[in-house]
Amino acid sequence: MPTLVACIEVHAWLSTRDNIECPDLAVMDLDPAEGATFRDVLQVALLVHRALAGFGLQAFVKTSGARGLHLFIPLRPVYPFPHVTRAMEYIARLVHEACPSRTTLERAVPRRKDRVYLDYLQNGRGKTMAFPYSLRPLPGAPVSTPLSWDEVCSLEVDPADFNMNTIFERLKETGDLFRDLLVLEQDLDGVLKVAAGAAG
């Protein structure tokens, strides 16, 4: 009789049922096109981190469980989805202007040309993201795993190291690096003000 293998992914909204229209999280999904390396993704993550920090925003970073990285930015849940998307689009455009040879805002996959896609559109209402510690339905049972920014800075992270066989030992060593994700509440007012000025 064949062995049956199952995988449970945790894909969640960015808002809670108490306030569906205003997310608790903004996200930046860094998705490498064919030809881009994971080192490229790590370097782009550092640029996004720096752009966010310029507005006083803290981001939590994790592996996607596949080839990319996700940055989660905890928010005060007062901004409707379109406002959050606009803020993350502005951050994405800043990063792309700073590093056009390594990043892209191109939605069409064939046009991304070895670059890392800055997917700010994941902030739309009804979109879901793989959440921390979610298994992914890929060979090796990878886990979407929180990272420290020191690990990202090292440029030596291998997402294949984080899987259902290693995640519990890692948690013993690092603790939950996302423990403050839903405790910290941040404002987007600064980004939105600058973005509005740039658009006007």
Side-chain angles (χ1 to χ4, degrees):
M1 188 170 179
T3 302
L4 298 178
V5 178
C7 176
I8 300 174
E9 283 192 287
V10 180
H11 280 257
W13 273 36
L14 303 177
S15 58
T16 64
R17 66 180 183 178
D18 293 331
N19 193 357
I20 288 288
E21 301 302 332
C22 296
D24 301 85
L25 299 169
V27 298
M28 188 71 75
D29 182 359
L30 304 182
D31 185 10
E34 195 67 36
T37 67
F38 194 70
R39 186 183 180 91
D40 292 329
V41 180
L42 292 166
Q43 290 173 324
V44 171
L46 291 172
L47 292 175
V48 177
H49 181 52
R50 186 180 304 171
L52 290 166
F55 290 96
L57 294 169
Q58 180 178 338
F60 294 75
V61 61
K62 67 180 183 67
T63 64
S64 67
R67 298 181 62 240
L69 286 176
H70 296 158
L71 277 69
F72 279 21
I73 303 98
L75 301 176
R76 192 162 55 94
V78 296
Y79 305 96
F81 279 100
H83 293 193
V84 176
T85 302
R86 190 177 310 131
M88 290 303 103
E89 178 183 7
Y90 183 73
I91 295 294
R93 292 192 182 282
L94 280 182
V95 172
H96 179 55
E97 288 170 9
C99 191
S101 64
R102 190 169 288 161
T103 64
T104 181
L105 301 175
E106 177 59 60
R107 288 288 286 171
V109 174
R111 297 180 184 173
R112 294 180 186 172
K113 298 179 181 177
D114 305 332
R115 294 181 175 90
V116 177
Y117 175 46
L118 296 156
D119 190 357
Y120 62 86
L121 293 173
Q122 289 298 119
N123 293 283
R125 187 184 189 280
K127 296 278 189 177
T128 63
M129 293 290 293
F131 261 50
Y133 309 110
S134 174
L135 281 167
R136 305 305 303 273
L138 296 168
V143 173
S144 183
T145 301
L147 303 173
S148 71
W149 281 107
D150 284 343
E151 288 177 302
V152 178
C153 285
S154 77
L155 303 179
E156 294 179 356
V157 176
D158 183 350
D161 290 340
F162 309 119
N163 56 64
M164 67 182 297
N165 295 315
T166 63
I167 189 63
F168 295 107
E169 189 61 35
R170 177 175 170 82
L171 281 168
K172 288 179 186 177
E173 294 173 0
T174 67
D176 179 11
L177 297 175
F178 270 37
R179 59 185 170 271
D180 294 328
L181 182 68
L182 296 181
V183 175
L184 182 63
E185 294 188 345
Q186 304 180 106
D187 291 332
L188 289 176
D189 295 353
V191 185
L192 290 169
K193 181 177 180 180
V194 175

